[in-house]
Amino acid sequence: MTLLVIRHAESVENADKYNGFYQDPRPYSGAAAHSISRTIIGLTVRGFRQAQWLAEVLPGLVGPEPHVYTSTYRRAIDTAAIALPALPDGWPQQTALLDEQHYGEATYMTKRELYDSYPELAEDRRLRKHVWTAPGGGESLAEGVLNRAAEFAALAQAELQQSRTVVAFTHQTAAVALRSLLELRTLPEILAEERKGRMPNAAILHYELHDGRFTRTRTTTPPI
């Protein structure tokens, strides 16, 4: 029984974030920034090609009738639509459990603007990013994202009693939380690895479920 955790294909934010999305001062409110991130940000041409690559490799990995989930963000939904276009009715299902970390009022703020606006949060943001809680209704990686990831891991384990494969199209921060849970490793340990080499867009993490425990077997990365 297999769980595949897939980071969405390259988005326009991934490709050009420092030239377009992070302006100082930020020209829009935190709520508007979060709405842009969730509903507007789509795939680049490269991201479209990565999703097409997924469409080539996934049929050989998922088998018949996989249970497929995406976050509620457009870039994950679009990746899944291109990668697995012929799913039965009702799939994929969208779930906020796989959403990107919610950065609240800090969404698209530069570090200077964030530290000037919320100086009391600066130390955690610099030194303990996993426990830093984004201001204005945001969440931390160590609580909000990790708790959601735990719910999804439990859901996936239950779904694997009905299907041979569960597929999750998600985001880098949610993938970090899932890795911590599924691999029984601490968040700082996973984040240290991410600093050396972030999980690529469209990469696939392979997990097998045996005796109630997930084991990571391999990682497949796109050639694009």
Side-chain angles (χ1 to χ4, degrees):
M1 295 181 285
T2 302
L3 168 63
L4 302 178
V5 177
I6 303 173
R7 187 183 178 196
H8 64 81
E10 183 184 77
S11 71
V12 293
E13 180 183 332
N14 296 142
D16 201 36
K17 63 189 294 184
Y18 294 111
N19 293 321
F21 294 94
Y22 287 85
Q23 301 177 40
D24 194 350
R26 188 181 58 181
Y28 24 67
S29 69
H34 185 253
S35 180
I36 291 168
S37 177
R38 187 180 64 235
T39 63
I40 295 177
I41 299 302
L43 304 181
T44 62
V45 172
R46 182 181 183 222
F48 183 81
R49 291 173 178 162
Q50 289 173 339
Q52 288 180 314
W53 170 79
L54 286 169
E56 294 174 1
V57 301
L58 284 178
L61 299 175
V62 301
E65 300 182 355
H67 288 193
V68 180
Y69 294 87
T70 79
S71 79
T72 65
Y73 283 60
R74 177 185 166 187
R75 50 195 181 270
I77 295 167
D78 288 354
T79 301
I82 298 167
L84 292 170
L87 293 173
D89 289 344
W91 300 101
Q93 294 184 19
Q94 296 178 28
T95 173
L97 298 179
L98 293 172
D99 278 358
E100 173 67 282
Q101 183 176 355
H102 188 354
Y103 292 102
E105 181 57 35
T107 306
Y108 294 151
M109 272 189 175
T110 64
K111 288 183 180 179
R112 185 212 62 79
E113 192 172 13
L114 174 64
Y115 295 160
D116 286 354
S117 300
Y118 301 95
E120 70 281 5
L121 302 178
E123 184 176 3
D124 274 349
R125 178 61 179 78
R126 290 191 187 100
L127 304 177
R128 297 181 293 275
K129 190 176 179 181
H130 61 293
V131 301
W132 172 73
T133 301
E139 61 183 350
S140 71
L141 177 56
E143 292 187 6
V145 184
L146 196 66
N147 288 341
R148 289 193 281 105
E151 288 189 53
F152 182 79
L155 170 65
Q157 188 163 347
E159 292 288 286
L160 286 171
Q161 308 308 311
Q162 307 172 44
S163 174
R164 187 176 72 84
T165 308
V166 171
V167 184
F169 289 90
T170 188
H171 305 259
Q172 187 259 344
T173 51
V176 164
L178 282 167
R179 284 189 61 193
S180 176
L181 291 165
L182 300 176
E183 299 172 22
L184 302 178
R185 300 165 67 197
T186 67
L187 280 172
E189 185 179 357
I190 302 296
L191 289 170
E193 291 185 1
E194 286 283 309
R195 284 192 292 272
K196 295 178 182 177
R198 179 170 289 198
M199 179 181 178
N201 290 104
I204 308 168
L205 304 180
H206 301 247
Y207 293 92
E208 299 294 333
L209 179 64
H210 297 288
D211 298 325
R213 178 176 174 178
F214 285 99
T215 301
R216 183 171 161 191
T217 57
R218 60 190 171 111
T219 302
T220 305
T221 56
I224 305 164

